[in-house]
Amino acid sequence: MIVNNRKHGIFSVPEEARQLSYNQDNKHSTITIKDALTNVFQQMRVSGNRERTIESYNYIFKQFVDMTQIQYVEDITLDSIYSYLDALNVSRETKLIRLKSLKAILSRFHNNGWVQKKFWSTIQIKIDKKVKKGTAEEDIKKLITLIDQSTFIGLRDTVAILMMYKTGIRIRTIGELLEQHIDFDNLCLNLDGSIMKNHNYLKLPIDDELANMLKALIYMNSRIRSYYNRNNTNVFITQNGCSLNSSKSSNNAISKQLNKYSKIYGLENINAHALRRAYAKDLLNKGASVPLISKALGHSDIAVTTQYLELDVDEVANDLRKYI
């Protein structure tokens, strides 16, 4: 039973009622980090995030929880994040990656109303960014001449290298590319959102050389699938006729082959990401605008594209000399 406070009359809120009333400080219900992550990851799946991305976030946040022994969302503080980062025996670049993952999950906590303020936004890790080079055109040409294209693996790898260099598509997309995505009549790739990292439709042109090599590869694929009784329409398959992307990792068979070629032939920057950068740099050298290159790469943020096109100091000086 609630009794009125005589001092302030009917307008006074008694202690018993104050305990029952809405408390601004407690409007965010206590939630365990485990439950919060379960909800967030479910939201990410519904939004279309890849399972590989979710697993990465889960690994990093679980590491943070294990090292700080925090159980509830409301107990996460600046000090706990700094303590976690200080305890990591990794490079500053790796710490930056871990911090970005923490911030991404904490932002979702905030969006769900479990955290009032984005206090983590002030945390910064400064690193000296290294200019990542794209594969040199001469190295690409040299590699193609060295690969034995009389074998299925050699033909497949050569077509994959040319595909990444001439279209800039990701290694993961290479593994998920289907025959239906290739329009030979109009010489273009029609990439639907299901195989794109940003889930947006993208149309990219291809030249006659690449189109003819793709036709040869598709012919070989049909023979191999028939022999092993496989049922798929993937453009790039294993020597046993299976899909390349059998695991959640982006390190598929072609990626491993590129690493092997780099070691065998002593060529630098022979990897999927370097080939993608080479495509972007080639477009820039041919006069394409940064927004156009960003669209071609399937980037959601043009800032990512500018990182792809980052020039070293000598290139900047040489380009500026044209305007003196």
Side-chain angles (χ1 to χ4, degrees), residues 81-235:
I81 297 174
Y82 277 122
S83 176
Y84 163 69
L85 293 172
D86 287 340
L88 292 175
N89 187 24
V90 295
S91 67
R92 295 180 70 84
E93 289 81 2
T94 301
K95 285 188 180 185
L96 181 59
I97 294 172
R98 303 284 170 86
L99 176 59
K100 286 181 177 179
S101 296
L102 287 183
K103 286 184 174 183
I105 294 300
L106 289 173
S107 292
R108 288 184 175 267
F109 287 179
H110 175 268
N111 293 340
N112 280 293
W114 304 324
V115 182
Q116 288 181 300
K117 297 180 180 179
K118 292 186 176 182
F119 56 84
W120 54 86
S121 61
T122 60
I123 304 176
Q124 302 291 333
I125 294 179
K126 293 184 178 181
I127 60 173
D128 294 327
K129 291 186 177 181
K130 298 178 181 178
V131 177
K132 294 183 179 179
K133 299 286 187 180
T135 310
E137 183 178 6
E138 55 269 24
D139 286 341
I140 295 173
K141 291 179 178 179
K142 181 179 179 180
L143 177 59
I144 290 175
T145 61
L146 291 171
I147 296 176
D148 183 4
Q149 296 178 36
S150 67
T151 68
F152 167 72
I153 295 299
L155 174 64
R156 182 203 64 187
D157 294 348
T158 300
V159 179
I161 291 167
L162 287 174
M163 177 74 84
M164 286 184 279
Y165 178 59
K166 292 189 174 187
T167 69
I169 63 176
R170 295 179 173 88
I171 188 68
R172 186 78 188 177
T173 304
I174 285 280
E176 296 179 1
L177 191 71
L178 305 178
E179 292 176 13
Q180 68 191 45
H181 293 130
I182 306 175
D183 182 350
F184 287 109
D185 292 332
N186 297 299
L187 291 178
C188 65
L189 302 179
N190 293 312
L191 308 175
D192 59 65
S194 65
I195 67 171
M196 298 296 292
K197 184 177 181 180
N198 63 1
H199 307 291
N200 293 330
Y201 170 77
L202 183 63
K203 188 173 183 177
L204 295 169
I206 59 175
D207 59 21
D208 287 315
E209 178 191 24
L210 182 54
N212 289 332
M213 295 198 71
L214 282 167
K215 288 177 182 178
L217 180 62
I218 290 172
Y219 170 75
M220 286 298 301
N221 288 345
S222 64
R223 295 180 60 186
I224 290 174
R225 279 194 290 259
S226 177
Y227 182 82
Y228 288 102
N229 195 27
R230 306 296 187 192
N231 184 25
N232 64 64
T233 60
N234 292 80
V235 177

Side-chain angles (χ1 to χ4, degrees), residues 6 21 94 100 169 275 294:
R6 295 178 180 275
S21 67
T94 301
K100 286 181 177 179
I169 63 176
L275 286 167
S294 183

Side-chain angles (χ1 to χ4, degrees), residues 234-251:
N234 292 80
V235 177
F236 297 92
I237 59 177
T238 67
Q239 59 186 351
N240 296 322
C242 299
S243 169
L244 286 179
N245 293 354
S246 57
S247 70
K248 290 166 183 161
S249 170
S250 61
N251 190 26

